[in-house]
Amino acid sequence: MAFEGLADRLQETMKKLTGKGKVSEQDVKEMTREVRLALLEADVNFKVVKDFVKRVKERAIGQEVMESLTPGQQVIKVVKEELTDLMGGEQSKIAVSDRSPTVIMMVGLQGAGKTTTTGKLANLLRKKHNRKPLLVAADIYRPAAINQLETIGRQLDIPVFAMGTDANPVDIANQAIAKAKEDHHDYVIIDTAGRLHVDENLMDELQQIKTNVKPDEVFLVVDAMTGQDAVNVAESFDEQLDISGVVLTKLDGDTRGGAALSIKAVTNKPIKFAGMGEKLDELEQFHPERMASRILG
Ligand code: GDP
């Protein structure tokens, strides 16, 4: 399970504060030292940890104690609020365009889970929000990617728009949108090409699609298991493409959680969804507060 080590350590640290009638500056310092180590061990970005600990310290030292809480509980509350904030605070919503269809562009490196997530997102929009999505296969470099999306479409009984590998991705996207209007689809989700590494050709192509299609959302799919790499990938995609949100996949694995805890702080873009397994119904909206509660117990 994700975050196990971090959760254990933070809960252990917080336990020392529970029920404390008085929390000294020394207690706060000891607590933040342990929180700092736990976060670093969970592979959270160094600078993110530093800022986090500074904020907790500032707020926890010398704060007024609310009548309903013991000082110990109050400090724990500060840690929880800051952890929630770190992951994005409020849970963010998915865009709905004034003009149907709403267009979502999925981007990411190969193997991150982009194609699977494209299917999962369509499934979630249909199931939870009663929407009628159209999937678009715009990865023209790998015939296998088109087949994979078509297989997913069949499994979900959601149509897939494809034009093979000879067409240009911008044309594919534009024709897919025209088709969506004709067939009254209210969401179009475009699965774009991925590469093994961030490279200029990939970014050029994605920028072209973005400029021409003007999507309502650009979701970057990153693999939580890759830790700091996921954060670096998010940073470069955001610089080049100005993404609107992140989908963190493989949170069901034993990731240490560093990516989940650093991405918002580093890119200032929210994590919108979390992939929790290989199955097509294993995508959840990302709730920062719930995640913080899970980590702190
Ligand atoms: P793409 O190259 O980015 O399109 O990646 P794929 O969609 O082909 O996914 C790569 C692998 O990751 C596949 O085996 C997926 O089943 C798996 N995968 C995707 N999302 C998740 C997830 O949330 N959890 C787990 N455990 N596996 C996932």
Side-chain angles (χ1 to χ4, degrees):
M1 234 262 291
F3 300 116
E4 217 162 66
L6 178 65
D8 283 353
R9 284 197 63 165
L10 288 183
Q11 284 171 30
E12 199 57 39
T13 304
M14 295 306 131
K15 226 187 262 166
K16 292 180 195 151
L17 291 171
T18 327
K20 271 215 175 207
K22 194 172 170 306
V23 178
S24 67
E25 202 167 316
Q26 191 55 30
D27 289 334
V28 171
K29 279 193 179 141
E30 266 165 38
M31 179 274 286
T32 51
R33 193 179 310 131
E34 285 181 41
V35 167
R36 181 175 165 276
L37 286 174
L39 290 173
L40 286 175
E41 220 163 81
D43 202 24
V44 180
N45 177 287
F46 181 79
K47 188 168 177 302
V48 172
V49 175
K50 202 171 150 207
D51 291 347
F52 180 85
V53 166
K54 184 164 166 260
R55 277 197 307 278
V56 169
K57 222 186 253 174
E58 272 168 13
R59 285 188 57 195
I61 292 174
Q63 65 173 351
E64 298 270 319
V65 176
M66 283 158 52
E67 273 179 35
S68 56
L69 296 175
T70 66
Q73 284 170 328
Q74 179 102 347
V75 172
I76 296 169
K77 187 165 170 276
V78 168
V79 176
K80 190 176 160 201
E81 283 169 6
E82 289 294 335
L83 205 55
T84 303
D85 259 13
L86 187 63
M87 288 185 284
E90 294 268 304
Q91 188 225 328
S92 51
K93 296 219 160 46
I94 189 161
V96 185
S97 167
D98 308 337
R99 289 178 312 136
S100 191
T102 300
V103 179
I104 301 176
M105 185 174 159
M106 307 295 288
V107 301
L109 294 184
Q110 234 172 66
K114 184 166 41 58
T115 304
T116 311
T117 304
T118 303
K120 284 175 169 180
L121 187 59
N123 188 33
L124 187 129
L125 281 167
R126 181 180 59 184
K127 240 169 132 170
K128 284 237 168 86
H129 305 275
N130 228 355
R131 300 291 179 172
K132 195 183 164 204
L134 176 67
L135 297 173
V136 185
D139 182 351
I140 54 166
Y141 306 99
R142 292 189 310 138
I146 302 179
N147 292 339
Q148 190 190 351
L149 193 66
E150 284 175 332
T151 305
I152 288 173
R154 270 195 301 278
Q155 278 171 19
L156 293 171
D157 199 17
I158 290 177
V160 175
F161 185 91
M163 291 168 66
T165 52
D166 292 335
N168 157 323
V170 174
D171 291 340
I172 299 176
N174 283 329
Q175 293 204 33
I177 293 167
K179 173 85 175 137
K181 283 182 186 154
E182 231 174 81
D183 295 350
H184 306 289
H185 289 281
D186 46 14
Y187 273 85
V188 170
I189 312 178
I190 307 169
D191 185 24
T192 63
R195 299 262 203 292
L196 288 174
H197 302 284
V198 175
D199 72 46
E200 222 171 284
N201 290 341
L202 171 67
M203 286 304 176
D204 281 352
E205 177 176 313
L206 297 175
Q207 270 162 358
Q208 268 184 37
I209 302 177
K210 190 183 172 197
T211 312
N212 279 279
V213 171
K214 300 189 180 59
D216 302 282
E217 300 267 20
V218 179
F219 286 159
L220 171 68
V221 179
V222 288
D223 179 344
M225 301 289 289
T226 60
Q228 285 308 299
D229 273 350
V231 181
N232 296 335
V233 167
E235 227 182 341
S236 33
F237 270 81
D238 190 41
E239 263 168 35
Q240 312 259 352
L241 276 178
D242 189 21
I243 60 173
S244 61
V246 173
V247 181
L248 214 48
T249 62
K250 310 183 196 180
L251 266 183
D252 51 308
D254 59 354
T255 161
R256 289 180 289 165
L261 291 165
S262 314
I263 279 183
K264 174 63 172 41
V266 171
T267 63
N268 203 26
K269 295 297 161 69
I271 300 171
K272 295 220 176 184
F273 296 94
M276 304 299 293
E278 295 194 63
K279 295 205 203 77
L280 293 173
D281 59 356
E282 291 177 312
L283 183 74
E284 294 176 4
Q285 269 187 290
F286 187 81
H287 298 278
E289 200 192 334
R290 272 188 227 165
M291 197 53 90
S293 300
R294 214 168 100 185
I295 294 171
L296 287 176

